[in-house]
């Protein structure tokens, strides 16, 4: 199938210094039908992604890919925009809302909270879907990841693997790391989940943590990751969007291991990325469109976690050979989570008590 040739690039100057790129793509065949037989032919979606644009191999790319799938299969029209900085989110959101053209505006990224809080109130008849956070407004569907459930399993893997005979593991130190993009409460929960997983399977492990302060600074992330590797870390989990690419670069340079986050990032550096803490953003974005078409879209706060397959982990696409007994143990832990028998903590204040109450028993 070919996409229609309709593509435009529009440069706008907002607030003096903000440059915004907009691309519009129409679905349908070139052979005259232009998607006219598809259920979403009258639906127009606006997507607002992060300042680092497409190519981040994370939230931006996944959201776009999910909506492009909706364009190709359901016939919607899609526009997307990337502001120059996170302080400009509200201006991009407002531009889309003011146009009155969009049946739904999809916002990708936790940093969009301040903008959506203002803009959704200004345009009460405009529908918004926002990933990844929670806000209760009558025209916003907040899709919140249960972050501890997303990162817990890679934490469990790290706790087991740091004491293993894997060739790049520091068996005598049991040190791992976690790098955060910014101190957003939901993302901090992800660091708690990762540490809980590490210390659940390896009570003697040390978990180093640091915050980059940006989702778009892979250079700084690389420096911080190298510092962690120098301190003995053999596995680092990033929760840092586009900055996470710097962690992967550091893993290659230090000849250590890393974990991806979001979409499967294992193939970015398959000899050093062991696994990815998964979140199925593509299907989340696609399903928001389907709900809009079939009339089931509704505002509210909807959480996605391990139950139902919204989060998880994968080693697919990695060349790193993780011992099968470790994979078996992590999969057994995952099953307990899916059955509701094991629920990781989300707050740092809960962690020590949770670890006392939940003692790891290796699967037989």
């Amino acid at each position: 199938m070919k996409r229609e040739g309709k593509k435009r690039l529009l440069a706008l100057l907002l607030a003096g210094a903000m440059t915004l790129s907009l691309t519009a793509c129409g679905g349908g065949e070139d052979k005259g039908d232009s998607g006219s037989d598809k259920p979403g032919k009258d639906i127009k979606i606006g997507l607002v992604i992060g300042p680092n644009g497409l190519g981040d191999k994370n939230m931006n790319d996944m959201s776009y890919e999910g909506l492009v799938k909706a364009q190709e299969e359901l016939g919607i029209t899609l526009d997307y925009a990337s502001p120059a900085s996170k302080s400009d989110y509200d201006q991009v959101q407002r531009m889309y809302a003011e146009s009155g053209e969009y049946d739904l505006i999809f916002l990708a990224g936790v940093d969009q909270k301040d903008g959506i809080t203002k803009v959704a109130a200004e345009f009460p008849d405009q529908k918004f879907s926002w990933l990844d956070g929670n806000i209760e407004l009558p025209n916003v569907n907040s899709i919140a990841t249960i972050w501890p459930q997303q990162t817990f399993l890679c934490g469990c893997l790290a706790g087991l693997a740091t004491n293993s005979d894997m060739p790049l593991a520091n068996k005598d130190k049991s040190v791992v790391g976690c790098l955060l993009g910014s101190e957003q409460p939901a993302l901090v929960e992800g660091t708690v989940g990762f540490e809980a997983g590490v210390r659940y399977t390896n009570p003697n492990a040390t978990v180093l943590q640091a915050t980059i302060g940006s989702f778009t600074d892979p250079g700084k992330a690389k420096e911080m990751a190298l510092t962690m590797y120098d301190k003995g870390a053999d596995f680092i989990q990033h929760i840092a969007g586009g900055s996470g690419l710097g962690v992967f670069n550091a893993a290659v340079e230090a000849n250590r291991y890393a974990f991806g986050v979001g979409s499967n990032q294992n193939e970015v550096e398959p000899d050093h990325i062991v696994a990815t803490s998964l979140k199925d953003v593509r299907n989340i974005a696609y399903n928001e469109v389907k709900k809009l078409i079939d009339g089931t879209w509704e505002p509210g706060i909807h959480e996605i976690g391990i139950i139902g397959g919204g989060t998880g982990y994968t080693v697919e696409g990695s060349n790193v050979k993780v011992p099968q007994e470790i994979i078996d143990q992590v999969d057994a832990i995952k099953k307990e989570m899916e059955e509701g028998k094991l629920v990781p903590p989300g707050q740092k204040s809960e962690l020590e008590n949770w670890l006392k109450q939940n003692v790891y028993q290796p699967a037989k």
Side-chain angles (χ1 to χ4, degrees):
M1 177 187 294
K2 296 180 180 179
R3 297 185 195 169
E4 284 184 41
K6 181 180 123 181
K7 288 188 178 181
R8 71 179 185 269
L9 184 65
L10 174 63
L12 299 177
L13 195 62
L14 296 177
M18 187 185 84
T19 301
L20 170 69
S21 294
L22 215 71
T23 301
C25 307
E29 302 270 340
D30 278 348
K31 297 181 179 180
D33 83 306
S34 297
S36 60
D37 60 339
K38 296 182 178 179
K41 62 184 176 63
D42 297 322
I43 298 295
K44 190 170 185 179
I45 306 294
L47 167 65
V48 182
I49 57 177
N52 45 338
L54 297 178
D56 71 338
K57 301 186 183 298
N58 209 285
M59 182 79 78
N60 291 353
D61 286 355
M62 290 188 291
S63 301
Y64 178 74
E65 289 162 7
L67 292 176
V68 166
K69 179 184 176 184
Q71 172 186 281
E72 294 174 342
E73 295 184 3
L74 304 176
I76 66 163
T77 299
L78 170 64
D79 289 350
Y80 77 91
S82 176
S85 70
K86 64 181 183 181
S87 63
D88 298 318
Y89 275 127
D90 61 333
Q91 297 182 61
V92 183
Q93 295 166 5
R94 186 175 291 107
M95 181 193 68
Y96 274 157
E98 281 179 341
S99 74
E101 297 179 9
Y102 298 94
D103 298 277
L104 179 70
I105 299 172
F106 190 96
L107 312 175
V110 68
D111 279 344
Q112 303 213 39
K113 182 175 184 178
D114 290 344
I116 189 58
T117 301
K118 292 185 289 186
V119 176
E122 293 172 20
F123 299 91
D125 295 328
Q126 173 66 62
K127 293 183 176 71
F128 297 87
S129 289
W130 174 38
L131 179 75
D132 188 26
N134 51 56
I135 188 171
E136 198 159 355
L137 291 171
N139 55 333
V140 179
N141 182 26
S142 293
I143 308 161
T145 304
I146 306 175
W147 269 99
Q149 296 187 16
Q150 183 176 346
T151 53
F152 182 77
L153 291 171
C154 277
C156 291
L157 195 160
L160 293 167
T162 190
N163 273 352
S164 75
D165 291 324
M166 291 176 64
L168 306 184
N170 286 331
K171 188 175 182 179
D172 57 330
K173 292 188 176 181
S174 291
V175 177
V176 302
C178 184
L179 268 176
L180 188 62
S182 74
E183 294 285 336
Q184 298 282 352
L187 302 185
V188 172
E189 291 180 5
T191 68
V192 175
F194 180 75
E195 181 176 355
V198 173
R199 295 176 59 195
Y200 176 62
T201 56
N202 187 344
N204 297 319
T206 298
V207 182
L208 305 176
Q209 295 187 16
T211 302
I212 302 160
S214 171
F215 296 104
T216 59
D217 194 344
K220 184 177 180 181
K222 179 181 178 180
E223 292 176 6
M224 297 177 76
L226 286 172
T227 298
M228 285 187 173
Y229 288 130
D230 286 343
K231 291 181 178 179
D234 46 10
F235 295 81
I236 296 179
Q237 170 75 67
H238 87 85
I239 309 173
S243 295
L245 297 176
V247 177
F248 302 153
N249 292 336
V252 174
E253 186 171 316
N255 201 27
R256 296 297 182 193
Y257 296 122
F259 294 114
V261 73
S263 66
N264 187 348
Q265 296 186 313
N266 298 341
E267 293 182 355
V268 177
E269 292 291 350
D271 294 331
H272 294 273
I273 302 176
V274 181
T276 293
S277 295
L278 283 177
K279 175 167 56 185
D280 197 356
V281 174
R282 293 182 185 88
N283 277 338
I284 291 168
Y286 180 85
N287 287 335
E288 286 300 283
V289 177
K290 287 193 69 177
K291 291 174 188 175
L292 195 68
I293 292 171
D294 64 25
T296 60
W297 184 95
E298 60 180 7
I301 298 175
H302 298 92
E303 293 187 321
I304 55 172
I306 200 79
I307 296 174
T311 62
Y313 91 109
T314 184
V315 296
E316 182 180 351
S318 173
N319 294 336
V320 178
K321 301 301 181 184
V322 180
Q324 187 59 46
E325 58 267 27
I326 291 179
I327 296 296
D328 291 343
Q329 292 300 320
V330 176
D331 286 345
I333 293 169
K334 180 182 178 184
K335 183 177 180 182
E336 285 190 83
M337 294 174 69
E338 291 171 338
E339 294 173 349
K341 297 176 181 177
L342 186 66
V343 181
Q347 303 299 318
K348 187 73 173 177
S349 60
E350 302 170 346
L351 180 57
E352 299 304 326
N353 190 49
W354 185 90
L355 289 167
K356 290 177 182 177
Q357 294 179 354
N358 293 272
V359 178
Y360 174 57
Q361 299 292 337
K364 297 179 180 179

